[in-house]
Amino acid sequence: MSMIEIRNVRKGFGALNVLDDISFTVEKGETVCLIGASGSGKSTLLRCINLLEEVDGGTIRVLDQDLSELTDVNAYRRRVGMVFQQFNLFENRNVLENCTVAQRKVLKRDRKEAEEIALIQLEKVGMAGFRNAYPSTLSGGQKQRVAIARALCMDPEILLFDEPTSALDPEMVGEVLNVIRELSNEDMTMVIVTHEMNFARDVADRIVFMDRGIILEEGSPKQIFDHPKNERTAQFLSRVLDRDI
């Protein structure tokens, strides 16, 4: 069973056609990186998978459920976690509380169990020592690692990442990418929208290149980066890889 199955998905905003007949699947334990220029539809596609946007046509099935037929969005989001560009931490709660509030409210765990699970996940991302710190005292990289730990506390079956390093200073990027790389090594099913090409080449099982709302090409990192079939893919990679070096 595919974990995510997208068939002929279309999405527009007014006269702007953002997704045009998008189809692909994500298998269990697979890491898929969505790449492409700004405005190519990558983040919109991710938001459709997480029900933050509603598709205009086509179907999205996740964990063998047709998203158009879901009756409990919160139950769905317990199984499909999302990590955003801007962290979305509660500024008035410390790190530990940020990682326990959803567990207690949504999963109905008691405080002790929620805190034990939170500390395990914070340890995994190297943030257990900051359990009592507030977000305002943390760097961007630290905030994003807490956001990842918070998502993991919900025991998701799939994780979605929307440009997880785009809001970070360059020196903070590596620490977040290392956490995601470790999750990939543990066979977490992930879809990652990223502009970090060297990271995508290193961590992805499959690369999906989007351009102007369509999938122009997909394949293994070696195929996409070393032997792109589409001229537009080659042009994009030539430009961004030069900038990456």
Side-chain angles (χ1 to χ4, degrees), residues 93-111:
R93 296 179 183 271
N94 66 27
V95 165
L96 187 61
E97 291 166 339
N98 263 279
C99 292
T100 58
V101 61
Q103 293 188 69
R104 298 185 66 193
K105 288 186 175 181
V106 178
L107 300 182
K108 306 304 181 185
R109 290 171 176 161
D110 62 35
R111 179 187 296 274

Side-chain angles (χ1 to χ4, degrees), residues 50-52 72-81 154 156:
N50 198 43
L51 294 172
L52 293 170
D72 189 340
V73 173
N74 289 331
Y76 170 75
R77 288 185 178 146
R78 289 199 296 269
R79 304 176 71 191
V80 182
M154 303 300 287

Side-chain angles (χ1 to χ4, degrees), residues 56-85:
D56 297 331
T59 60
I60 300 178
R61 295 185 67 86
V62 180
L63 300 170
D64 208 28
Q65 299 178 85
D66 187 330
L67 297 196
S68 67
E69 299 173 355
L70 279 182
T71 57
D72 189 340
V73 173
N74 289 331
Y76 170 75
R77 288 185 178 146
R78 289 199 296 269
R79 304 176 71 191
V80 182
M82 186 156 178
V83 178
F84 297 87
Q85 298 178 34

Side-chain angles (χ1 to χ4, degrees), residues 12 23 72 96 99 108 164 197 215 217 229 239-240 242:
S23 297
D72 189 340
L96 187 61
C99 292
K108 306 304 181 185
M197 294 300 105
I215 293 176
E217 192 166 352
K229 297 176 181 177
R239 187 171 69 249
V240 297
D242 284 346

